[in-house]
Amino acid sequence: MQDNATEVTAAGIARLAGVGRAAVSNWRRRHPDFPKPVGGTETSPSFALAEVEAWLREQGKLAEVPLRERVWQQLTGHPEGPAVALVHVGCVLLLVQERPTVWLDIDAGSDERLAAKLPGVLDGVLAARFGREPVNASGTVNAADVVNASGTVNASGTANTAHAVNASEAVNASGPANTPAPVHTPSGPQLLPSAPLLRGAAELAGELGARQTFEFLLGRYLDVHSRQYTPTPVELAGLMAELAGPALTVLDPACGTGALLRAVEARPHQTLYAQDSAPDLVALTALRLALHTRAAVRGAVGDTLRQEAYPELRAAAVLCHPPFNERNWGHDELAYDARWEYGFPARNESELAWVQHALARLADGGTAVLLMPPAAASRRSGRRIRADLLRRGALRAVLALPVGAAPPYNLPLHLWVLRRPDRTPVAPEVLLVDTGAFAGEARGGPNWQAVRDAALDTWRAFTRDGRLAERPGLARSVPVIELLDDDVDLAPARHLPPPAAADGLEQLAAVRDDLAATLRRTAGLTPPPAAPAPPARWPLTTIGELARGGALLLRTGAVPGAPGSSAGATHVRVPVLTDHDVLAGSPPSGTLPESDEEAVLTEAGDIVVPVLGGGSVARVVDAATAGAALGRNLVLLRPDATALDAWFLAGFLRGTANNRQASSYASTATRLDVRRLQLPRLPLDEQRRYGARFRALDEFEQALRQAGRLGEQLLRGMYDGLTDGTVEPH
């Protein structure tokens, strides 16, 4: 059923039609019958989705709006905002997953009947999953109890809501939560505007599955609101969960979007506890976990340090990605809090407050893993707390991650592994690991498999033996007494020996040999002198015209760029070709999260073009890259080999003047409208002649890049060897 009230922005129209926003602006100027704005602002108008869909179909620019796009546009156009709409969708998807026949019964009827029957049914499902008593027979609640009733988000990134958690509404001594439910049952009037969206989401769940549908919509939502949330990449979340080990009770006191709890290994009779200051995040995390696992889910809204929801909880594991560098964490109010067993944190040491909160919520012998900024390991203001953590055996390991592992991506963040001391003797050594060598060459992130293998191998060996044999450049177990100096500096790189000199020299010699061979190859690929020719006067066509005529297929990337977002139909783990990979000429470096939206997979002979940045770049996909998923900000062109030569097409797309006339300019970025790029109409034989020359230029370019990378490695190795004494200054 189409919702005539649903509105869509220009960006949404561009997504529906598979074009850039500049094309939508051109349509509005050139076509008097283009739908008129029905809302929004003068600079950012919105349009009726039904009218836009009809216009696109009449113009031959759209055969049919895909179901997932219609559902997404209905969600973003919801009158109460996308956050509350997503909560409604999550509730219904949980019903579809757990009681599908009940949903089919109430779905058969009018929107009014659906909205009237849903609250009572949802109330029972939510009560069973989130550990509370049903609200009442009708399932209705007060408007003030609805999570994020307005759906708005304030400047701090937290959702406006009347819901709050009192300090007295905490867990009892035995552990089960007595906190208010993380998701409240919406009333019939609140659900009525959502009815078309809920039917569409349930239909999409029939194609993708309930969990995958919610992940798709949540991934899109987080992608749109990426500035408001700090993501935890899925690979990092998995590593943290594995370091903590299997556990029946797991707490995340700063749950965000639930990535850490979602990564926990499922166990029978498991309970997952979540808390966050943002009500919308708590509700979405609870629904995400309930759809993902059979564990009992407990969630609470509130500032964890000031207003903790589970003061009596003793969890087997705590996972936490706390906010960094917060000065307003409660320093003045919490001076005498019982959690500060290891010292009262300074105002600029909010991370050490989170460390002690995690330890306070652990059972004896339990494990906590926290993501920490590197400064927390060395700031002088925190040295006394670090020293006490060491003396009492609470801090067991510090693992330095490569640059790019998580935001802020320019810092090599740390993982702290802590244990709640029990009656066993205090361990005399601490594990220090540095995985910085596994940083990726491009911006696609580190080599996560190498990071995971190194971290888990060293941690498991250390926990098994109580110490670790020295692994130069990677890890060592350090006696606590060695760290208890004036600074108590725990940065791993400052305590690890450099890689063995012999290994370093062998690697340096191999790099030098590779560079020499690459330079010889580059010289052989250098283009011959250019032969002059008069300016050509070819008849021209555009990519848009070729796409409409069927000479090529045009697709846009649909994979979330930041690791950790997720959605629904792709289950096989495939690499992602990012825009940075295309610009750098490097292999696919991104990762496709489990259950992402259906990916566009590349094939040999495709041409991939970045649309941001203003560069004249087009890459022909080879056999080594084929099969990778297409990332954000990329356009894929798949030419018909009987009409177009791939290298001819890619070469002409790289012309500077061609790119300039097809680009639009904003205050902060240049965007390329690929449909406006031009190329000459030439016979296929002539195309292939040009294509062969363009291919030779591409080989020369790749050789130059390889020589540059090897040259940088050789220079860095020589500087390091001379300065650390492992290379003689001959």
Side-chain angles (χ1 to χ4, degrees):
M1 176 177 178
Q2 179 66 53
D3 180 12
N4 293 324
T6 299
E7 298 178 11
V8 60
T9 64
I13 297 173
R15 186 189 291 273
L16 290 172
V19 299
R21 292 187 62 177
V24 178
S25 299
N26 287 336
W27 292 344
R28 292 185 62 197
R29 289 194 300 267
R30 293 166 49 194
H31 296 276
D33 61 337
F34 191 86
K36 304 301 180 186
V38 297
T41 64
E42 184 175 347
T43 57
S44 181
S46 59
F47 306 83
L49 176 60
E51 294 179 8
V52 168
E53 180 183 354
W55 187 86
L56 290 173
R57 190 175 292 109
E58 289 172 1
Q59 296 292 322
K61 303 180 187 299
L62 179 70
E64 182 63 46
V65 178
L67 176 59
R68 64 175 63 207
E69 292 297 337
R70 179 180 291 117
V71 172
W72 169 247
Q73 297 300 339
Q74 288 173 332
L75 188 144
T76 57
H78 193 281
E80 296 298 326
V84 70
L86 194 51
V87 171
H88 291 179
V89 167
C91 291
V92 166
L93 290 175
L94 192 58
L95 172 64
V96 170
Q97 178 172 283
E98 303 210 344
R99 303 181 187 177
T101 57
V102 175
W103 164 256
L104 292 175
D105 176 64
I106 61 176
D107 183 39
S110 65
D111 289 353
E112 290 74 13
R113 177 180 180 273
L114 177 71
K117 285 186 169 292
L118 259 181
V121 175
L122 289 179
D123 192 51
V125 173
L126 299 178
R129 289 313 310 272
F130 302 128
R132 63 169 173 80
E133 293 297 323
V135 178
N136 54 38
S138 66
T140 59
V141 294
N142 295 326
D145 289 330
V146 177
V147 174
N148 197 16
S150 68
T152 59
V153 177
N154 59 32
S156 66
T158 59
N160 298 321
T161 179
H163 177 69
V165 176
N166 296 322
S168 61
E169 295 174 328
V171 296
N172 58 34
S174 62
N178 291 328
T179 53
V183 184
H184 292 276
T185 308
S187 66
Q190 291 163 344
L191 285 169
L192 184 57
S194 303
L197 166 64
L198 300 181
R199 296 183 194 275
E203 184 182 351
L204 187 57
E207 298 179 4
L208 306 179
R211 177 178 66 85
Q212 292 87 346
T213 297
F214 189 73
E215 290 290 332
F216 159 66
L217 295 173
L218 177 62
R220 280 272 185 96
Y221 172 79
L222 295 176
D223 195 35
V224 170
H225 299 87
S226 58
R227 293 187 178 183
Q228 297 175 12
Y229 308 114
T230 302
T232 305
V234 64
E235 296 87 356
L236 176 58
L239 174 59
M240 292 174 67
E242 289 192 83
L243 287 169
L248 293 182
T249 53
V250 187
L251 167 68
D252 184 349
C255 67
T257 60
L260 291 175
L261 291 175
R262 187 172 178 268
V264 171
E265 179 185 349
R267 310 278 288 185
H269 313 297
Q270 191 174 54
T271 304
L272 305 177
Y273 294 88
Q275 183 172 355
D276 201 280
S277 59
D280 57 332
L281 290 184
V282 174
L284 295 175
T285 291
L287 289 165
R288 187 183 196 188
L289 294 174
L291 286 161
H292 179 73
T293 177
R294 295 307 306 168
V297 177
R298 305 290 180 260
V301 179
D303 183 328
T304 296
L305 294 181
R306 288 187 175 92
Q307 195 179 33
E308 60 172 326
Y310 312 109
E312 304 300 325
L313 176 65
R314 296 296 178 264
V318 175
L319 301 173
C320 186
H321 177 174
F324 296 160
N325 302 319
E326 282 203 348
R327 289 184 173 268
N328 185 28
W329 58 267
H331 178 271
D332 296 336
E333 312 96 289
L334 300 174
Y336 301 102
D337 196 288
R339 288 171 290 180
W340 316 142
E341 292 183 53
Y342 302 87
F344 181 42
R347 189 181 300 277
N348 66 331
E349 293 286 359
S350 62
E351 296 85 11
L352 294 182
W354 286 98
V355 164
Q356 295 191 74
H357 172 81
L359 285 167
R361 298 286 73 79
L362 281 175
D364 289 348
T367 303
V369 183
L370 284 84
L371 184 66
M372 303 284 281
S378 55
R379 279 191 297 244
R380 288 190 61 81
S381 55
R383 66 188 186 277
R384 291 183 179 177
I385 294 177
R386 293 196 298 271
D388 209 31
L389 290 169
L390 291 172
R391 289 191 192 97
R392 297 171 60 182
L395 182 60
R396 304 300 299 121
V398 177
L399 295 88
L401 297 169
V403 171
Y409 291 107
N410 61 323
L411 292 178
L413 302 178
H414 291 176
L415 291 178
W416 285 24
V417 184
L418 304 110
R419 285 267 174 87
R420 176 78 179 175
D422 51 19
R423 298 178 183 177
T424 58
V426 173
E429 298 192 1
V430 173
L431 176 66
L432 300 180
V433 181
D434 187 356
T435 63
F438 304 123
E441 290 185 8
R443 299 186 189 179
N447 181 345
W448 277 111
Q449 187 60 49
V451 172
R452 177 184 175 278
D453 291 345
L456 294 177
D457 181 48
T458 53
W459 169 245
R460 288 166 180 166
F462 174 72
T463 54
R464 181 182 62 248
D465 303 330
R467 63 183 307 277
L468 183 76
E470 189 175 278
R471 302 185 185 184
L474 177 64
R476 67 178 285 223
S477 57
V478 183
V480 167
I481 192 66
E482 187 178 318
L483 299 171
L484 294 176
D485 55 15
D486 288 342
D487 294 325
V488 196
D489 192 330
L490 305 179
R494 297 180 183 176
H495 301 278
L496 298 181
D503 292 343
L505 290 177
E506 289 177 5
Q507 293 174 3
L508 206 58
V511 170
R512 188 181 184 282
D513 291 343
D514 288 345
L515 175 60
T518 303
L519 289 174
R520 289 192 295 270
R521 179 170 174 266
T522 304
L525 292 171
T526 302
R537 301 296 182 186
W538 296 304
L540 300 176
T541 185
T542 66
I543 294 298
E545 291 173 351
L546 291 170
R548 286 193 293 272
L552 58 81
L553 174 68
L554 186 149
R555 300 289 300 276
T556 57
V559 175
S565 60
S566 43
T570 302
H571 304 284
V572 179
R573 302 287 287 178
V574 296
V576 175
L577 185 68
T578 70
D579 54 343
H580 302 297
D581 299 331
V582 176
L583 293 170
S586 57
S589 63
T591 55
L592 182 66
E594 181 186 1
S595 62
D596 203 332
E597 62 178 289
E598 187 174 0
V600 177
L601 300 182
T602 59
E603 297 179 2
D606 290 344
I607 295 92
V608 180
V609 183
V611 297
L612 294 180
S616 302
V617 179
R619 174 170 171 176
V620 179
V621 175
D622 57 15
T625 304
L630 191 69
R632 290 278 191 199
N633 302 320
L634 293 175
V635 171
L636 179 145
L637 306 176
R638 183 167 295 160
D640 179 352
T642 63
L644 286 171
D645 179 79
W647 286 101
F648 161 80
L649 176 59
F652 273 95
L653 295 187
R654 294 192 59 172
T656 301
N658 199 8
N659 275 259
R660 187 181 297 121
Q661 64 83 27
S663 297
S664 59
Y665 303 91
S667 58
T668 58
T670 302
R671 186 172 187 90
L672 179 69
D673 185 351
V674 175
R675 291 175 178 267
R676 292 172 55 189
L677 287 169
Q678 299 175 336
L679 68 158
R681 297 179 182 271
L682 296 178
L684 191 56
D685 288 344
E686 186 70 1
Q687 292 181 33
R688 289 170 178 159
R689 193 166 71 90
Y690 274 95
R693 188 65 183 274
F694 286 136
R695 185 167 192 165
L697 290 175
D698 181 79
E699 291 178 8
F700 177 60
E701 181 180 30
Q702 296 304 318
L704 286 174
R705 283 176 166 166
Q706 178 68 2
R709 286 192 287 264
L710 291 169
E712 289 179 4
Q713 290 181 34
L714 181 61
L715 280 172
R716 175 49 51 202
M718 290 297 297
Y719 274 113
D720 289 345
L722 288 167
T723 55
D724 65 21
T726 60
V727 173
E728 287 287 341
H730 293 305

